[in-house]
Amino acid sequence: MHVNESSPAAYNREGTIRNSKDINITNASLSNVTFSAKGASTLKLVSDVVITTTLIVIMLGMGCTIEFWKLMEHLRRPIGAAIGMLAQFIILPLVTFGFAHALQLEPVAAIGMLVMGCCPGGSTSNMFSYWADGDVPLSLTMTTLATLMALGMMPLNVWLYSRSWTNEDLVIPYMNIIISLIMTVGPAAFGIFLRWKWEKFALIIVKIGSICGGIAVILTMTLMSLLYPFMYKSSWKIYVGAFFLPFVGFAFGYIVAKICRMNSTHARTVALETGIQNFPLCMTLISSSFPKHVIPKLVLFPLLYGIFVLTNSCIFVLFYHIVRKTKDYRNKSAGKDFTSVPTTNNHDGVEMNTVEPVLNGNL
């Protein structure tokens, strides 16, 4: 028998979902979701093709920024990546669990938030790390390692923390995790090869990839808004959670990195990797684990998160550049001409400043 999701009959005495089949979405705007519409299906296909192609170009461009020896440094001494995994799979799921309870979300919304917080970092974190002058080799190492570890850590975290809201076992999309890994590592590896073989050509690809990144951000938000307009009718609690979860990830990732005595460049990279989750993977897990009539309510949080994680990551990058420009301006005002440039021979990844004295108005 179907009952209204808001009715106590849908839950047991602990407030958890007894069975996903006992939930019925009564809101017409949610039940008539765009998943099944023919026009939406065509738009979804176009969206998937365009965004996938763009992401491949982005990862190719990010690979072209990486020198092979730098990547090997992180692989031989994966201390930075290990700290990133600590923030990604231990800290963030626990914080997401607590955040969902603090917001007192309904079980279906809380599960969507929890699954999002248990997903590995997304490939777009590499792009934002590049824009924020982070360590792209470290970012790629963390993305690859996180995707591999997600095969075990994601089901563990989802099972551990979802008991508060449901007794059902969620279906982990292992094949999609592997596909995500291939789509991340494949283009990036080819980009690294291009950088090694034809450096000048690779630098052109970097610029193209960066431009595609900006286009991808706009396209993703536009297409998601066209495909899933019902997400904007979510409750204020879901809005608050979806808006602040990326910032929470940034903050805890940065704090954990600093506690572990990482420099600012590495800390920014860990922060972005922790705060940017693999949104498509979350959607796949939800669609594989629940019946269609439940999905519209479950995906409200991940959908809004998909919008906010892009805007908030842009805010993160913008804030970093404002702070950097402000520091450069203060240094110049103090009578020092500093030009901030990243050094390639510093294995710790610390940003250094090259001081160029100004004598009689001439450099």
Side-chain angles (χ1 to χ4, degrees):
M1 180 176 122
H2 296 291
V3 296
N4 191 315
E5 172 205 41
S6 61
S7 169
Y11 310 101
N12 60 21
R13 280 181 295 181
E14 286 77 23
T16 59
I17 300 174
R18 286 199 318 237
N19 192 318
S20 59
K21 293 180 180 179
D22 292 334
I23 302 175
N24 182 34
I25 307 299
T26 57
N27 190 324
S29 65
L30 296 177
S31 59
N32 296 324
V33 64
T34 57
F35 285 69
S36 60
K38 290 183 179 180
S41 297
T42 303
L43 183 59
K44 180 71 166 58
L45 178 61
V46 172
S47 171
D48 290 343
V49 171
V50 171
I51 292 177
T52 300
T53 304
T54 307
L55 285 176
I56 290 173
V57 175
I58 291 171
M59 290 313 301
L60 177 65
M62 294 304 98
C64 287
T65 69
I66 298 173
E67 294 177 276
F68 183 71
W69 69 269
K70 285 187 176 181
L71 184 62
M72 291 307 297
E73 280 287 329
H74 290 299
L75 293 176
R76 279 196 293 263
R77 298 181 59 207
I79 298 174
I83 294 170
M85 296 308 97
L86 170 66
Q88 181 80 63
F89 289 114
I90 304 299
I91 305 297
L92 186 62
L94 178 60
V95 170
T96 304
F97 173 77
F99 197 9
H101 274 293
L103 288 172
Q104 297 183 337
L105 294 175
E106 296 178 1
V108 283
I111 291 171
M113 181 175 182
L114 175 66
V115 172
M116 193 74 258
C118 292
C119 284
S123 57
T124 50
S125 61
N126 308 137
M127 174 185 70
F128 283 107
S129 291
Y130 172 73
W131 287 347
D133 294 335
D135 190 323
V136 179
L138 174 60
S139 180
L140 179 61
T141 302
M142 286 193 294
T143 300
T144 304
L145 185 58
T147 306
L148 286 171
M149 288 186 64
L151 295 170
M153 292 301 298
M154 189 175 175
L156 175 62
N157 279 322
V158 169
W159 175 84
L160 180 64
Y161 294 112
S162 66
R163 301 300 94 183
S164 289
W165 301 291
T166 180
N167 292 320
E168 292 193 0
D169 293 326
L170 305 188
V171 179
I172 305 300
Y174 292 105
M175 184 56 65
N176 291 82
I177 294 175
I178 294 171
I179 291 172
S180 176
L181 178 64
I182 294 171
M183 288 185 59
T184 299
V185 176
F190 187 61
I192 294 171
F193 172 77
L194 289 178
R195 174 67 181 253
W196 171 63
K197 204 72 175 175
W198 300 285
E199 185 172 349
K200 289 184 179 180
F201 177 68
L203 294 177
I204 296 174
I205 301 297
V206 170
K207 293 180 180 179
I208 295 173
S210 185
I211 293 171
C212 285
I215 294 172
V217 169
I218 298 171
L219 268 179
T220 301
M221 291 192 293
T222 302
L223 290 170
M224 283 180 62
S225 297
L226 292 173
L227 280 167
Y228 314 111
F230 64 91
M231 65 178 170
Y232 292 113
K233 297 182 180 180
S234 301
S235 69
W236 68 268
K237 291 183 179 181
I238 295 178
Y239 266 94
V240 170
F243 178 78
F244 282 105
L245 184 60
F247 285 130
V248 169
F250 297 152
F252 275 92
Y254 195 90
I255 290 170
V256 169
K258 280 299 185 181
I259 290 174
C260 295
R261 302 178 66 84
M262 297 183 80
N263 58 68
S264 296
T265 301
H266 285 179
R268 284 197 305 275
T269 307
V270 171
L272 286 165
E273 190 68 26
T274 307
I276 301 175
Q277 305 303 97
N278 194 324
F279 157 75
L281 188 61
C282 175
M283 296 291 287
T284 302
L285 188 151
I286 289 174
S287 63
S288 302
S289 301
F290 295 91
K292 289 184 178 180
H293 69 278
V294 182
I295 292 176
K297 251 300 178 63
L298 280 165
V299 298
L300 287 177
F301 183 92
L303 286 172
L304 277 178
Y305 175 91
I307 296 292
F308 283 126
V309 74
L310 293 174
T311 57
N312 294 359
S313 297
C314 290
I315 292 172
F316 181 102
V317 173
L318 181 62
F319 177 76
Y320 159 71
H321 283 287
I322 290 174
V323 171
R324 193 195 68 179
K325 292 290 185 183
T326 301
K327 287 183 178 179
D328 288 345
Y329 176 77
R330 287 177 178 174
N331 286 332
K332 290 180 180 179
S333 298
K336 301 176 182 179
D337 188 5
F338 286 87
T339 304
S340 297
V341 293
T343 58
T344 57
N345 59 348
N346 192 330
H347 69 276
D348 289 329
V350 181
E351 290 182 335
M352 304 292 288
N353 288 326
T354 301
V355 184
E356 298 178 352
V358 181
L359 300 175
N360 299 324
N362 298 316
L363 293 177

